[in-house]
Each structure stands twice: as C-alpha cells, then as structure tokens.
C-alpha cells in the first residue's frame, strides 16, 4: 500500500471489530469448565464484560470479537491451554442451531456437510466452514475471518472438535478421522487432543480440519427423514430471506474460504456471489472499499494469526496466502506492518 493506505486499511479493520456475531449455544459449557478449574464464572464473565444471563438462551447472539475475548480470558484465568478443545468436546450439531439440526435428517453425509457449509452463517458470521475434496481424501474444517478476533487458536481447536463430533453423529460414535490438522503450535501436552480425536494430530498446519476418506461422503444416514429435512431447509431459507447481508462481509467470508482452496480470482468470487465482476467492483466502491483492499486485509489477518499461533515456516504461509514465493509474501507483509514476518513473529509469537 502507498501513501495513506495503511491508515485506511486500519480504519477498515477497526470498523469490523464488532461485525461478526455468533449464537451462544456452543459457549454454554464455559461456566461448567470454569468451575472444574476452580474459577468463579460470574467473576470471569464480568471481567469480560458479560452478564451470565446472556448465555441462558442458546439462540442469543453476541459479537464474535467479544466472545473471542471471553474465551481468551477463560484461558488466562484457568491456565488451560486446551480450553477451546474442552468446549468443542461438549458441543455437537445441535449446538449450531438450524444449520446443525438439518444434518441428521439429510439423505447422506455429502448432502449433510454441504448443507452445513451453506448454512453455518445462520449461526456464526465470524468464520467460514470448508468442505474440501482432494481425490480420495476430504477435509472438513473452519477458519476465522473476523478482524480483531482473540484466541483464534482456541476457536480453531473448538471448531475442529465440533467437526469431529458432527462426523461421529453422522457416521457413528466409533468413527475416527484419518488425521487432524490444527494451525496452532504444538502444545506442551498433546494428550488431550490425541484422546479426543483418536487420531494423529498434525499441529503447525496451514488449516484446521478433520481429514477422512472421500468415500464416506456417499454413506447414507440411518437418521434420514425427508419430511423433517425439507422442514429445516425451508426454515433456513426463510431465515435467510429476512436477513440483510452486507456485500463486504459476504466477500470476506468467501475470500477466507477461497484462499484455502486457492480460488480467489475476481471472476471466481463474483460468480460465487452470482454477479458480474463489474457489478462486484461497483458495489464494493459504493461500500467504500475495493476487492484488492479486502483481499489484502484477509491475507494480513491470516498472516498475523499463523505467525503468532504457529511455527509454520514462511514459505508455507506464502503458499497458504496465495503468493508465488516467501519473498513476495515478505514484501507484502512489510508493506502492511512495517516489519518483516520474522520480526513480527519474534514480537508477537506465543512461546
């Protein structure tokens, strides 16, 4: 960026700190986990700016950033570095509202996970799910795209555990992933992860996902129910029809997912938004931004998270962000932050 663009980009990021929201349902286990670690939930919630009553109704929504800071506070007061994993263990498809209710009534695993990918934003607008098939292997994951989110490593732990629980609901309690990918640094004690996932956990990965054989997608569901499935699809469509969605937030969700899939060219994103490239550029201009600025914001946020929360080499970060080389990534990062990726990691990386 040149001239005043860094300041413009920063204002854009600041504006979005409260942009995303999440239903409180998967967070309802927080008080119990805090008590198990000898902490008073009321004190912790108060310190994070919440009234515990906000979490009594699972359909209540809270700002994504505020929820992430509550999670960060929980990690600090308990000293539990796998707090997010514990939350994810206690959540399941039903924790995701309509986006999760419909899954068990779908005809097969492929349809269920496709519906989850399309409808999770009815539950959570701070991150994006991803269903990525690569030949005989498929990945089911989630990635935060909300600017300013804290405890991103914990959120990814939680979401990956929920993905595992969803697969066990669909395929049976004995189901295990082939392997698990987590973008966080390897913890001092990986045993809680290995016990829950019952699979090899690969830390310092470029993404967060459970990995399984693609053939499972065609597995029919014993709980399939065409009438109930159609009912929940109609409910989801009705909810979506009454939502006014900002074009910039839609774009950012698509960019976050598309970077992982290496499909972030303008024409592809415009087609996903069901509009022409020129229309997309015009609507973004009307919103006071550009495609390039939004892409750079997403890349910058992803780069900071990977540098801070993992030991992923810069060459692999470059690939994950769609750069041709680590050198090109390094130049871009210094343009964004004023320092090199190595300098930023030294200042902000977790031990």
């Amino acid at each position: 960026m040149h001239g005043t663009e860094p300041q413009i980009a920063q204002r854009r990021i600041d504006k979005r700190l409260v942009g995303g929201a999440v239903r409180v349902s998967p967070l309802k286990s927080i008080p119990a986990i805090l008590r198990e670690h000898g902490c008073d939930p009321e004190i912790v919630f108060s310190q994070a700016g919440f009234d515990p009553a906000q979490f009594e109704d699972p359909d209540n929504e809270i700002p994504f950033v505020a929820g992430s800071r509550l999670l960060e506070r929980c990690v600090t007061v308990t000293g539990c570095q796998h707090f997010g994993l514990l939350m994810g263990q206690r959540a399941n498809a039903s924790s995701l509202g309509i986006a999760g209710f419909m899954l068990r009534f779908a005809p097969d695993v492929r349809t269920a996970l496709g519906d989850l990918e399309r409808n999770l934003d009815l539950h959570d607008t701070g991150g994006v799910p991803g269903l990525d098939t690569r030949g005989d292997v498929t990945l089911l994951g989630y990635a935060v795209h909300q600017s300013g989110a804290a405890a991103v490593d914990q959120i990814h732990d939680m979401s990956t555990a929920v993905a595992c629980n969803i697969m066990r609901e669909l395929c049976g309690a004995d189901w295990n992933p082939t392997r698990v990918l987590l973008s966080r640094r390897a913890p001092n004690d990986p045993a809680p992860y290995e016990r829950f996932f019952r699979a090899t956990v690969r830390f310092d990965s470029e993404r967060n996902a459970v990995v399984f054989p693609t053939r499972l997608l065609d597995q029919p569901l014993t709980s399939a129910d065409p009438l109930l499935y159609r009912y929940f699809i109609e409910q989801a469509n009705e909810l979506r029809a009454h939502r006014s969605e900002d074009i910039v937030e839609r774009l950012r969700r698509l960019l976050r997912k598309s970077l992982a899939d290496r499909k972030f060219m303008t024409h592809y994103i415009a087609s996903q938004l069901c509009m022409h490239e020129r229309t997309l550029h015009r609507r973004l201009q009307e919103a006071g931004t550009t495609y390039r600025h939004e892409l750079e914001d997403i890349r910058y946020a992803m780069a900071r998270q990977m540098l801070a929360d993992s030991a992923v080499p810069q060459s692999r970060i470059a690939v994950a962000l769609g750069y041709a080389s680590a050198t090109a990534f390094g130049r871009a990062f210094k343009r964004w932050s004023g320092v090199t990726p190595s300098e930023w990691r030294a200042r902000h990386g977790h031990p």
Side-chain angles (χ1 to χ4, degrees):
M1 296 182 181
H2 303 285
T4 60
E5 286 187 355
Q7 289 79 15
I8 294 172
Q10 187 58 51
R11 286 199 297 273
R12 188 181 305 111
I13 291 171
D14 291 344
K15 181 181 178 182
R16 296 205 180 99
L17 292 183
V18 294
V22 63
R23 292 173 61 258
V24 302
S25 181
L27 311 181
K28 287 175 65 63
S29 62
I30 289 179
I33 298 173
L34 286 171
R35 292 190 192 97
E36 289 166 10
H37 286 81
C39 300
D40 185 333
E42 290 196 10
I43 293 175
V44 177
F45 275 62
S46 176
Q47 291 171 338
F50 282 105
D51 180 342
Q54 292 176 264
F55 292 75
E56 292 175 0
D57 182 348
D59 288 325
N60 280 344
E61 288 189 347
I62 60 172
F64 191 92
V65 170
S68 74
R69 290 176 178 166
L70 170 62
L71 180 51
E72 180 180 52
R73 185 64 189 162
C74 290
V75 173
T76 299
V77 299
T78 62
C80 177
Q81 295 304 306
H82 59 280
F83 198 98
L85 177 70
L86 295 177
M87 292 172 61
Q89 290 177 12
R90 303 181 191 204
N92 54 31
S94 298
S95 305
L96 308 181
I98 284 180
F101 292 146
M102 68 176 69
L103 300 188
R104 60 175 60 93
F105 303 120
D108 51 52
V109 174
R110 186 189 305 275
T111 304
L113 298 183
D115 288 335
L116 176 65
E117 188 175 30
R118 284 186 292 274
N119 293 295
L120 188 66
D121 63 322
L122 297 174
H123 158 78
D124 172 357
T125 56
V128 289
L131 183 64
D132 184 9
T133 295
R134 302 178 177 183
D136 59 358
V137 170
T138 293
L139 292 78
L140 174 64
Y142 173 92
V144 172
H145 77 79
Q146 174 65 57
S147 296
V152 173
D153 56 339
Q154 301 294 322
I155 297 171
H156 285 154
D157 283 358
M158 176 174 67
S159 61
T160 308
V162 173
C164 187
N165 277 339
I166 287 173
M167 289 300 295
R168 286 173 179 159
E169 287 186 67
L170 298 178
C171 300
D174 293 334
W175 178 88
N176 295 322
T178 304
R179 63 183 179 279
V180 175
L181 308 178
L182 290 174
S183 61
R184 61 169 295 153
R185 276 185 172 82
N188 293 332
D189 181 12
Y193 296 83
E194 295 166 353
R195 280 196 301 270
F196 172 72
F197 289 114
R198 305 197 298 257
T200 298
V201 180
R202 187 173 299 169
F203 298 98
D204 291 317
S205 295
E206 290 86 352
R207 59 195 305 173
N208 303 274
V210 292
V211 183
F212 57 90
T214 299
R215 57 181 168 75
L216 284 181
L217 293 176
D218 295 320
Q219 180 172 310
L221 300 185
T222 57
S223 57
D225 186 316
L227 291 178
L228 284 172
Y229 176 65
R230 185 159 55 249
Y231 169 77
F232 282 114
I233 289 291
E234 290 170 355
Q235 291 293 304
N237 290 339
E238 184 175 342
L239 279 176
R240 194 172 298 286
H242 289 86
R243 294 179 67 195
S244 57
E245 194 166 33
D246 181 87
I247 182 63
V248 178
E249 290 306 314
R250 290 175 65 195
L251 172 65
R252 289 176 68 83
R253 285 203 303 275
L254 271 174
L255 284 174
R256 183 62 179 86
K257 179 181 184 301
S258 298
L259 274 170
D261 297 338
R262 314 291 193 269
K263 297 178 181 178
F264 55 89
M265 300 304 292
T266 316
H267 66 85
Y268 173 80
I269 297 297
S271 70
Q272 295 298 298
L273 292 168
C274 301
M275 63 182 70
H276 193 276
E277 283 183 66
R278 287 194 297 270
T279 304
L280 174 59
H281 288 308
R282 187 186 74 248
R283 292 189 61 182
L284 291 174
Q285 185 176 24
E286 291 169 352
T289 186
T290 69
Y291 184 89
R292 180 189 172 191
H293 286 162
E294 297 307 321
L295 176 59
E296 295 298 278
D297 276 353
I298 291 289
R299 281 172 153 169
Y300 186 28
M302 289 176 65
R304 286 178 297 174
Q305 184 264 316
M306 294 177 79
L307 289 168
D309 295 340
S310 78
V312 175
Q314 291 179 37
S315 58
R316 284 166 51 195
I317 295 177
V319 172
L321 299 183
Y323 285 99
S325 67
T327 301
F329 162 62
R331 285 197 300 266
F333 192 87
K334 188 165 186 179
R335 187 173 69 244
W336 300 327
S337 67
V339 297
T340 67
S342 296
E343 291 170 332
W344 201 92
R345 175 172 264 166
R347 296 177 188 177
H348 302 279
H350 302 317

